[in-house]
Amino acid sequence: MAKRTYLVFLGVPGAGKGTQAQLLAQALEIPQISTGDIFRYNLKHETELGLLAKSYMERGELVPDAVTVRMVAERLGQPDAAQGAILDGFPRNLAQAQALDGMTAPHGGVAAVPLIRVSDEEALRRITGRRVCRTCGAVYHVEFNPPRRPGLCDLDGGELYQREDDRPETVRNRLYVYYKQTSPLIGYYFCKGLLVEIDGAQTIQAVQAELRAVLERKGVQVPQTEGTP
Ligand code: ADP
Ligand code: AMP
Ligand code: ZN
């Protein structure tokens, strides 16, 4: 079977995973799969999955593995992911990482795991100012990455809103859950020789440039595209 490119992005909430994954996905021509985005889409459309995820998301807890893993397996089976995918927000614990290994093993496994490092203080600043387009999900920051017109998406003019779980009460628990459940994955992927560390405390373009350089060293070819840093 042909080899596919699967990348897993790690980093505290607010590190910039979604921002970087989106830019890289365009260049690699593989989808960015954000489990958080999929849950939010289901919440908005009040599907059974959305209603199930709601209470966990509101508290900043993880949605149960069985549900999350099944959702990712289905998403990876869709035609646009036939060459691989960038996973952003999954896996978030060891059980999910092992499940992903199982899913990707027939296709050469996970190719590399960029860890975007920022301080907790910086992550909090980024989360507090994060705004998301209601229509297309594009991510902005009121100060660091503002839209051209305040409160409106550059791409489609959609209304920008603050995620419920980006409020300070929930953010603290999300950081706690990250350290307790997700951070062991740093060791897990380091031991597999897949971890690459990126300094996230730079401009968005500089982080993207460093990301592409370290991926090339891991054997992941990133084609030059328009807007390449
Ligand atoms: P994550 O997916 O890791 O939770 P996001 O990509 O949503 O993080 O980024 C969190 C917030 O920080 C967003 O508001 C985004 O616009 C902003 N951001 C992302 N990268 C940078 C950066 N390098 N410098 C400043 N702000 C950034
Ligand atoms: P995110 O958009 O990645 O910050 O995720 C938002 C919320 O969705 C998290 O706080 C969890 O409640 C839920 N979530 C996203 N990804 C996962 C996952 N892989 N496993 C369990 N819950 C998840
Ligand atoms: Zn939009």
Side-chain angles (χ1 to χ4, degrees):
M1 240 181 280
K3 201 161 185 269
R4 304 179 182 187
T5 305
Y6 291 107
L7 301 174
V8 168
F9 275 43
L10 287 182
V12 289
K17 299 180 296 296
T19 303
Q20 297 301 328
Q22 211 161 8
L23 291 169
L24 187 67
Q26 286 164 13
L28 290 177
E29 296 184 343
I30 54 178
Q32 169 211 6
I33 298 179
S34 156
T35 40
D37 282 352
I38 303 177
F39 285 133
R40 276 185 291 280
Y41 177 89
N42 279 277
L43 207 58
K44 181 172 153 189
H45 294 278
E46 296 181 344
T47 67
E48 206 177 313
L49 177 63
L51 293 176
L52 189 150
K54 189 172 192 277
S55 63
Y56 298 97
M57 293 175 80
E58 278 172 355
R59 287 178 282 126
E61 299 289 333
L62 298 186
V63 178
D65 291 340
V67 177
T68 307
V69 165
R70 184 160 15 96
M71 181 177 91
V72 171
E74 272 172 29
R75 181 66 188 87
L76 288 179
Q78 286 171 17
D80 66 330
Q83 303 303 320
I86 299 180
L87 290 155
D88 150 21
F90 181 92
R92 258 178 153 95
N93 60 27
L94 283 168
Q96 293 182 6
Q98 282 161 348
L100 180 65
D101 283 346
M103 288 180 232
T104 58
H107 313 289
V110 173
V113 180
L115 166 63
I116 303 182
R117 285 212 184 265
V118 299
S119 67
D120 291 349
E121 290 73 27
E122 180 62 15
L124 287 173
R125 275 194 291 277
R126 290 185 183 181
I127 291 184
T128 316
R130 171 160 57 191
R131 299 292 182 271
V132 184
C133 173
R134 248 188 228 291
T135 317
C136 73
V139 177
Y140 298 86
H141 191 283
V142 288
E143 196 184 331
F144 307 142
N145 183 25
R148 284 194 291 272
R149 291 170 298 165
L152 298 176
C153 178
D154 290 348
L155 304 176
D156 53 18
E159 181 206 355
L160 303 187
Y161 77 105
Q162 180 173 37
R163 279 168 47 177
E164 268 317 302
D165 62 347
D166 278 353
R167 307 254 159 87
E169 315 81 80
T170 319
V171 168
R172 298 225 159 259
N173 193 42
R174 285 167 59 207
L175 279 174
Y176 177 74
V177 167
Y178 173 82
Y179 283 113
K180 198 164 172 195
Q181 303 197 49
T182 310
S183 68
L185 298 185
I186 297 172
Y188 181 81
Y189 287 119
F190 175 80
C191 291
K192 288 175 176 278
L194 296 174
L195 194 76
V196 289
E197 296 195 40
I198 319 284
D199 175 10
Q202 318 176 64
T203 64
I204 291 173
Q205 292 305 315
V207 175
Q208 181 69 196
E210 186 180 329
L211 173 65
R212 292 184 185 196
V214 297
L215 285 177
E216 295 268 354
R217 288 203 287 278
K218 277 275 167 200
V220 178
Q221 307 297 330
V222 185
Q224 298 281 317
T225 50
E226 232 180 289
T228 295

